[in-house]
Amino acid sequence: MGRTMTVGIDSERPGARPAEGPGGGPGEQPGERRGRGTGEDSGGYELFRDDWGIPHLRAADPLTLARAQGHATALDRAWQLETERHRVLGTSASHLGAEAVDWDRFVRRARIADTARRCFDRLAPETAAWVTAYVDGVNEGLGEGAAHAPEFAAVGLVPGRWEPWTPLGVWLSTHILFAGFPTKLWREEVARRLGEERMTLFATDGPGTAGSNGWLLTGARTATGAPLVAGDPHRFIEDPGVYQQIRLACPEFDVVGLAVPGIPGIAHFGHTGHVAWAITNAMADYQDLYRERLRRTGDGGVEALGPDGWYRAHAHTETIEVAGAEPERVEVVETDRGPVIIGGDPGAGETISLRYPPRVTGELGFDVLPALLRARTVADVDTALDRWVEPVNVVLAADTAGGTLHRVAGHVPVRPYANRLRVVPAEDPAYAWREGETVPLPRTEVDGSDGPAGIAVMANERGLAAPLGVEFAPQHRARRIRELLGAGTGWTPDAQAAVHTDTRLASSRQLLSLLAWAPGLGPAAERLRDRLLRWDRHMDADSTDATLYARLRTDVVHRLAAHPALKGVTGADDPWRSAAYPALFRPWLAAVPRIGYALESLLTVGLLPYEDRLALVAASTEAVAAAADETPPAPWGELHRLSPWQALPDLAPGGSDAQAIRPGVAGDHDCVLSTSSVPGVTDLFARGPAARYVWDLARREDSRWAVPFGASGVPGSAHHRDQTPLWARGALAPVVTDWNLLHRTSPHRTTLHRTSPHRTEENPAMTAPAEPAASATPALRPAVHEQKVEGFGTVRLVPVDPAADAELLHGWVTEERARFWGMADHTREQVREIYEFVDSLPTHHAYLALRDGVPAALFQTYEPDADPVGECYDVQPGDFGIHLLIAAAEGEGAVKGYTDALLTAFIAYVFSDPAHLRVVVEPDARNEKALARMVRVGFELGPEIEKPEKTARLAFLTRAALGLA
C-alpha cells in the first residue's frame, strides 16, 4: 500500500497521561477547574474537551465509559434528552401543548415504548448491562444539565428518569418514519383518483426521500496510500443537532465518531483508529400497512378479521395530557399484523395497521453497537452488522490494512412485492410475511465495477440496494460524486470539502431542455431563456441565476398542479385535505410537494404530451420574466435559508442566536450539497447535512468533521453555535486525537464560557484546491479515450472547451458540407453558447477527436431519454446516442477509410462502457451519404422521425452486430 498505516502513537493511547498544562495540573487550563482524575469518586473516568467543546472521554473499562458517555451527554444535551424521552412515551403534549398531540397519539398507537421494552429484554446480557450503564450516567447528569438549560424553566418541567430501555425507544421513535411507509397511503390515493396505472407516477426516483452521501477512496486514490471514508448524512436538521461528535476511549478501544444523543456507542459514523465506517439510508422497504376489518364485541372489546376468521385483538385505552387543554383519550388496538395507527373505531371508516420488524421480532440490533467499538478490521465491522435490524443502511468501511467493505445491513422481511407498494388486505394470507425469513442483503466489491476504480459511492440511489425498495433518490448525486472523485488521484482529507460542497444541479436538465425549445416567447422571456441556458447550473449562494431557475421551477410546479391531468389529486381534491388520515401523515399526502420532487420525471414521461410540456414551460417563462422585471432576483443564499426544527423557540440570552440558526447557504435537493427545499412550496430548507465527516485511515488525527450548530445544546454556551459558520461554508474542524492538546474538565461540571482562545475563521489548509483550467490547446487536454488505429494513427477524444474551441467549431459547422448539422447561419458566439449549454448537461457531452494531435472531428454523446429524440421512439435500457461531424481532411491527412477509421475509435469508446448496449444515431433523412456509411459499419436502419428542426432517420448498432454480446 506504499506505507504502513498505524495509529498507535503514545499520545493517542487511552492509557497515556497528558502532559503538564499551563495551569500546573495534567492538561489543566488557566481558570478551569481540574477534573477528579480516574479516582473512585469520579466514577473512574475523565472528561476532556477540544477547542470546539467536543467531549473526549477516557475510562477504565467499557461499562464505566458507557456511564461517562451518558453523563456527558446529559450535561451537554439535557433538554434534547428530555424531549426525546417524552417523544418515546407519547407525553410531549403535557408541556408543549396541543401541537404535539398528533405525535403522542401516533407513538402510543404504534406501541413504541412497549416495543423498546421487548427489544431490551432480548438483548445479550452484556449489551443490556452496557446500555444500563449509559442510562445510569444520563440519570446522574440530568439534574446538573437541566440547571443550565433554560427550556426546563420556560415550560415548568423537571427532568424525568430514564429507564434501561429508553435508548431503544429513542432509536425507534427517531427511525419509525425513516422508511416512509406513509408514501403507501399516497400511492393508494393516486391509484384511486388517477387510476391504477398511475400509482407510481410520482415515484420516479424522486429526491423527497433522502439526500445522504457517502464515499470511499482506496489507497490507490489518496495521497497517503491509505483509504479515506467521507460523506454527510442528510436528515431533518434539529436544534440541538441529531449527531454528537464524541470520543470514547478505554483500554479495549479508542473510537471517535458521531453518536446519536440518547444512544450509547457510535452507530453510524465511526473511526476506531484501525477501521472506519459510514452509512446512508438504503431506501429499502421493510414496513407494511394492512387494511383491517374490526368489530366491537358485546363487552366493549375489539375483534379483527384475519386469514382464519375473526379473533380477539388487543385493545386498551390511554390518556394524553395536554398543556392548556383537556386530556385526550386514545384507544390502542393491535391485531396479529401489528398496531392500528389509522382509524380503529370499528365500523367508522378505514382502519390500517403497521407491521414493522422490531415489533415482530423483538430485535433492534443494539448488540451490534458495542461490537463496532471493538472492531479492528472491515471483517469485524462486517460480522457485527450481520445482526443489524433498523433502519436498513448501505455501509462503507475501510481499515488500515487497505481492506474495504460495501454492503447493505438490516432486516427486510420476505413478502409479496405488492406489500411494498400499497396498503394490502389483512385477511388475505397471500400478503403475510414469511415467518423467520429475510431477504438476502446485497454486497459488492470496491473494484470500480460501477464507476472509476478505487471509488465506492452511496447516495440513496437505485444501486446496491435496488432489490430492496421502490423509490430511490435520482442518480445525480452519485454520478456527480463519482465524476468529481474520478477526475484525479492524490486525494487528501482537506480536499473532500470540494465534494461535500458541490452545487451542480443535474436535475435542472429536463426543465432547461424544454425551455430551450419553448415556442413563441416574448422579448423578456427570450432574455430569461438565454440567461438560464448560459447559467452554469450551480446553485451557489451568490447566484441570482440560481434564484431565477428556482422561480421558474416553482411556477412550473404550480402550473402542473393546476393542469386537468392531475385534477384528481390537486386543489380541493388534494389528499392532504382528507380527514381519513391523521394530520401527522399530511407531509406525505400533499400534492404540490410531490409534484415538485417528481418534476424532472413529470416533465420527461407519460403525464403530458411533449407539446403541452413546451407550452407549459413557455407560459411559466413569460410569467417569471415579467416578475423579474418588477422584482430583480436576490442571490440564492438570501432566500435558501436553514429552517431547523426546535421543540421550543430559541432561548439564547437576548435572542442573540436568532439569525445564527438560519444561515443562507448554497445547494439544492439534487446537488451533492443537498440542502433540500420543497420545490413549489418554499425556498427555505429543513433537510440538509446533519453532519460532515472525513475519516483518514493513514493518520486519524488528519480526519475532519463538523455539525450544523455545536457540541453543546445549551443556549448561551460558547459551543452552542460555534460550528455554524464552518458548516454553512462547508469547512471542517480537525479531529483532535492527542490527549496533550485537549482541555481536561470536571466530569461533574459544565461551563457557559470558552476555556481557551478559539478561532472561528477558516483554516487555509481546509480550503479545497482550485480545479485546473482547461488547456486552450486540445492536444494538451486529458483524453477520455485513446486508441491506435492501424494505418491511420492515434485517435484521442478530449472534451470540448467551448471558449477555446469556438473558432474551430464555428468553422466546421458553417461549412456547406455540414449543412445537415443545422448551424450554417450561426455566429461564433452562438456556437460557443450552444456548446456551453451542452457542457452544462450531465447527460450530453461533446468531444474533439484528435488524429495524431490534430483536430479531426466533433463527436457528441447523449442519453436518449434526456434528449428530445427520446420523445420520438421507444428508448431501450442501454441506449446511447451519438452525433458525428467529420472535418474535411486535407493534404497527407486525406487517407482512404478516413471516416471509417474515426468511427472505429468512436464505437470502441462507446462500447467500452458495459452499460451501453446499443448506439443510436439520427442523421437527417436526406443525408444519404451518412446513412450509407452507417449501414456499412453495421448499423440497422430504423424509422423516420419528425423533430422540430428536421426529419431524421434512426439507425441502431448493437453489441451483437459487432460480436461483442
Side-chain angles (χ1 to χ4, degrees):
M1 292 296 296
R3 65 169 287 175
T4 303
M5 292 166 279
T6 60
V7 291
I9 59 175
D10 286 346
S11 62
E12 266 206 274
R13 286 208 311 266
R17 298 299 301 167
E20 288 284 309
E28 189 175 355
Q29 297 299 310
E32 182 179 13
R33 175 179 164 182
R34 181 182 173 204
R36 291 192 265 179
T38 57
E40 191 170 277
D41 288 344
S42 67
Y45 70 88
E46 297 170 290
L47 170 62
F48 297 80
R49 295 188 188 272
D50 64 13
D51 284 354
W52 298 92
I54 296 167
H56 294 241
L57 297 162
R58 188 163 65 182
D61 58 76
L63 288 182
T64 305
L65 186 59
R67 180 180 172 190
Q69 184 184 4
H71 189 273
T73 304
L75 295 181
D76 289 350
R77 307 288 187 99
W79 173 248
Q80 184 177 17
L81 292 181
E82 184 68 5
T83 298
E84 293 300 333
R85 187 182 70 86
H86 281 282
R87 284 174 62 81
V88 171
L89 296 173
T91 55
S92 299
S94 65
H95 59 280
L96 297 180
E99 66 179 24
V101 168
D102 290 329
W103 174 262
D104 285 355
R105 184 184 297 112
F106 167 68
V107 294
R108 288 172 184 250
R109 300 186 77 183
R111 310 203 72 185
I112 296 297
D114 186 69
T115 304
R117 292 187 191 96
R118 286 187 185 182
C119 292
F120 180 83
D121 289 343
R122 290 179 63 91
L123 289 177
E126 58 272 21
T127 305
W130 179 72
V131 175
T132 300
Y134 178 89
V135 169
D136 288 343
V138 169
N139 286 327
E140 291 167 5
L142 270 177
E144 184 176 348
H148 294 289
E151 295 93 343
F152 287 90
V155 297
L157 195 66
V158 295
R161 184 168 183 79
W162 278 47
E163 300 295 335
W165 51 264
T166 303
L168 287 78
V170 171
W171 192 261
L172 279 167
S173 68
T174 300
H175 294 102
I176 189 65
L177 295 173
F178 212 62
F181 68 79
T183 297
K184 298 178 184 182
L185 303 175
W186 166 257
R187 294 194 200 109
E188 284 289 330
E189 293 300 317
V190 172
R192 184 169 64 85
R193 298 159 183 251
L194 299 182
E196 292 283 334
E197 71 282 2
R198 289 192 165 176
M199 181 190 299
T200 58
L201 177 65
F202 298 85
T204 61
D205 284 7
T209 44
S212 296
N213 304 308
W215 58 91
L216 184 156
L217 293 161
T218 67
R221 288 276 176 182
T222 67
T224 64
L228 288 173
V229 179
D232 46 359
H234 290 64
R235 293 176 173 239
F236 283 106
I237 295 179
E238 302 178 12
D239 177 39
V242 297
Y243 285 112
Q244 172 193 30
Q245 299 149 297
I246 201 165
R247 182 183 187 182
L248 305 173
C250 68
E252 287 189 48
F253 52 79
D254 181 351
V255 187
V256 297
L258 300 168
V260 176
I263 310 298
I266 295 169
H268 284 163
F269 310 96
H271 192 329
T272 72
H274 306 279
V275 62
W277 67 91
I279 63 93
T280 58
N281 184 357
M283 311 303 289
D285 185 276
Y286 50 87
Q287 301 166 325
D288 284 351
L289 296 178
Y290 287 89
R291 184 173 289 105
E292 300 278 0
R293 292 174 60 187
L294 304 181
R295 68 186 183 188
R296 189 74 66 183
T297 62
D299 61 358
V302 175
E303 290 184 337
L305 180 63
D308 298 322
W310 291 95
Y311 64 94
R312 184 88 172 194
H314 170 90
H316 72 271
T317 301
E318 298 181 11
T319 300
I320 301 174
E321 299 293 336
V322 184
E326 292 298 314
E328 292 199 17
R329 292 177 65 80
V330 55
E331 185 174 32
V332 178
V333 177
E334 185 167 13
T335 73
D336 287 351
R337 266 69 55 197
V340 170
I341 59 168
I342 297 172
D345 186 4
E350 188 164 60
T351 297
I352 295 174
S353 63
L354 171 66
R355 188 171 181 85
Y356 59 104
R359 187 67 187 164
V360 175
T361 66
E363 300 284 352
L364 191 53
F366 262 43
D367 288 318
V368 172
L369 301 182
L372 286 175
L373 296 177
R374 294 182 172 90
R376 299 178 70 85
T377 67
V378 292
D380 294 338
V381 172
D382 194 16
T383 300
L385 290 173
D386 283 342
R387 293 171 286 167
W388 190 248
V389 176
E390 184 175 345
V392 179
N393 294 322
V394 177
V395 183
L396 287 173
D399 60 31
T400 53
T404 58
L405 175 69
H406 190 185
R407 63 164 292 181
V408 177
H411 180 112
V412 180
V414 176
R415 78 278 202 219
Y417 184 77
N419 292 41
R420 297 188 195 180
L421 287 174
R422 62 191 309 174
V423 183
V424 294
E427 68 274 13
D428 190 336
Y431 300 102
W433 290 12
R434 285 162 60 175
E435 186 173 354
E437 295 188 42
T438 58
V439 177
L441 298 178
R443 61 174 61 231
T444 189
E445 299 296 324
V446 183
D447 58 4
S449 59
D450 61 347
I455 299 170
V457 177
M458 51 183 184
N460 317 118
E461 78 279 20
R462 188 181 296 273
L464 185 63
L468 307 178
V470 176
E471 296 189 38
F472 296 81
Q475 296 281 343
H476 303 309
R477 285 184 290 107
R479 286 175 178 167
R480 181 62 172 167
I481 293 169
R482 289 189 185 96
E483 176 187 353
L484 293 169
L485 295 175
T489 57
W491 284 97
T492 65
D494 292 337
Q496 303 309 300
V499 184
H500 280 129
T501 59
D502 187 78
T503 60
R504 184 66 172 260
L505 186 65
S507 61
S508 63
R509 64 169 171 76
Q510 185 58 27
L511 175 52
L512 293 176
S513 295
L514 290 169
L515 175 62
W517 298 99
L521 298 181
E526 285 275 11
R527 289 193 297 273
L528 175 61
R529 172 166 64 184
D530 292 345
R531 180 173 177 177
L532 286 178
L533 294 184
R534 290 193 300 269
W535 173 45
D536 64 5
R537 312 303 190 267
H538 283 269
M539 300 296 284
D540 293 331
D542 60 357
S543 171
T544 55
D545 289 346
T547 301
L548 282 173
Y549 173 77
R551 286 185 182 180
L552 178 63
R553 178 176 62 187
T554 293
D555 194 275
V556 169
V557 168
H558 290 163
R559 290 178 190 274
L560 272 175
H563 196 280
L566 292 179
K567 185 180 185 304
V569 293
T570 57
D573 295 322
D574 195 326
W576 179 85
R577 302 176 184 275
S578 172
Y581 304 115
L584 184 70
F585 301 141
R586 283 182 178 174
W588 286 268
L589 294 166
V592 172
R594 287 281 176 184
I595 295 168
Y597 287 138
L599 182 62
E600 183 182 11
S601 298
L602 293 175
L603 292 178
T604 304
V605 295
L607 180 65
L608 302 180
Y610 180 61
E611 293 76 13
D612 288 4
R613 281 175 264 160
L614 286 176
L616 187 147
V617 171
S620 289
T621 306
E622 296 285 1
V624 172
D629 286 343
E630 296 183 10
T631 309
W636 178 235
E638 292 185 14
L639 306 173
H640 191 58
R641 292 186 173 275
L642 175 61
S643 181
W645 180 85
Q646 294 176 289
L648 286 178
D650 195 79
L651 295 176
S656 59
D657 286 350
Q659 292 304 313
I661 198 175
R662 291 177 171 81
V665 301
D668 199 24
H669 59 267
D670 270 334
C671 301
V672 176
L673 179 52
S674 184
T675 47
S676 300
S677 56
V678 184
V681 177
T682 179
D683 292 328
L684 300 175
F685 69 95
R687 187 196 296 271
R692 295 191 182 98
Y693 60 90
V694 181
W695 302 142
D696 190 347
L697 273 302
R699 287 168 43 89
R700 188 170 64 162
E701 60 268 36
D702 288 340
S703 298
R704 299 285 185 265
W705 53 8
V707 293
F709 301 120
S712 174
V714 180
S717 164
H719 302 298
H720 188 214
R721 298 274 191 270
D722 59 341
Q723 293 187 52
T724 301
L726 279 182
W727 177 86
R729 65 177 180 269
L732 299 168
V735 173
V736 180
T737 57
D738 188 340
W739 295 99
N740 300 325
L741 302 178
L742 301 173
H743 315 300
R744 187 165 179 243
T745 66
S746 165
H748 296 291
R749 194 174 185 86
T750 189
T751 177
L752 299 184
H753 305 286
R754 298 185 196 276
T755 57
S756 64
H758 180 215
R759 295 185 305 164
T760 58
E761 69 271 18
E762 182 175 2
N763 183 341
M766 297 181 196
T767 304
E771 295 185 4
S775 173
T777 305
L780 299 181
R781 297 175 199 161
V784 300
H785 181 72
E786 183 169 329
Q787 181 175 345
K788 185 175 179 63
V789 180
E790 196 66 29
F792 181 75
T794 298
V795 179
R796 299 175 70 243
L797 298 181
V798 301
V800 164
D801 181 337
D805 299 335
E807 190 68 38
L808 172 68
L809 297 178
H810 180 256
W812 285 357
V813 301
T814 55
E815 289 181 347
E816 168 59 24
R817 62 189 306 278
R819 64 189 182 280
F820 295 118
W821 203 253
M823 296 188 192
D825 59 349
H826 281 45
T827 66
R828 179 184 179 280
E829 277 304 297
Q830 287 173 323
V831 171
R832 178 184 61 80
E833 289 175 2
I834 286 171
Y835 283 97
E836 284 178 342
F837 175 64
V838 171
D839 188 50
S840 75
L841 300 174
T843 54
H844 292 61
H845 301 283
Y847 304 99
L848 288 179
L850 310 181
R851 179 195 179 201
D852 294 333
V854 178
L858 174 61
F859 176 58
Q860 294 179 214
T861 68
Y862 63 92
E863 295 177 13
D865 61 356
D867 189 87
V869 74
E871 303 287 336
C872 304
Y873 84 104
D874 184 18
V875 178
Q876 301 296 311
D879 278 4
F880 194 70
I882 65 173
H883 297 300
L884 310 173
L885 178 59
I886 310 296
E890 299 177 358
E892 295 180 359
V895 298
K896 185 177 181 180
Y898 185 96
T899 298
D900 289 351
L902 288 171
L903 273 172
T904 297
F906 297 157
I907 292 169
Y909 168 62
V910 171
F911 282 136
S912 67
D913 186 338
H916 299 157
L917 305 180
R918 186 170 69 161
V919 178
V920 181
V921 296
E922 26 99 11
D924 193 300
R926 298 167 295 171
N927 193 344
E928 295 177 357
K929 187 175 180 180
L931 292 169
R933 182 186 305 127
M934 296 303 169
V935 171
R936 186 169 66 245
V937 172
F939 280 77
E940 180 178 346
L941 294 181
E944 290 190 356
I945 59 173
E946 294 297 330
K947 298 183 66 181
E949 73 278 12
K950 67 181 179 181
T951 298
R953 182 75 180 268
L954 288 171
F956 306 96
L957 178 66
T958 65
R959 284 179 173 272
L962 297 178
L964 300 176

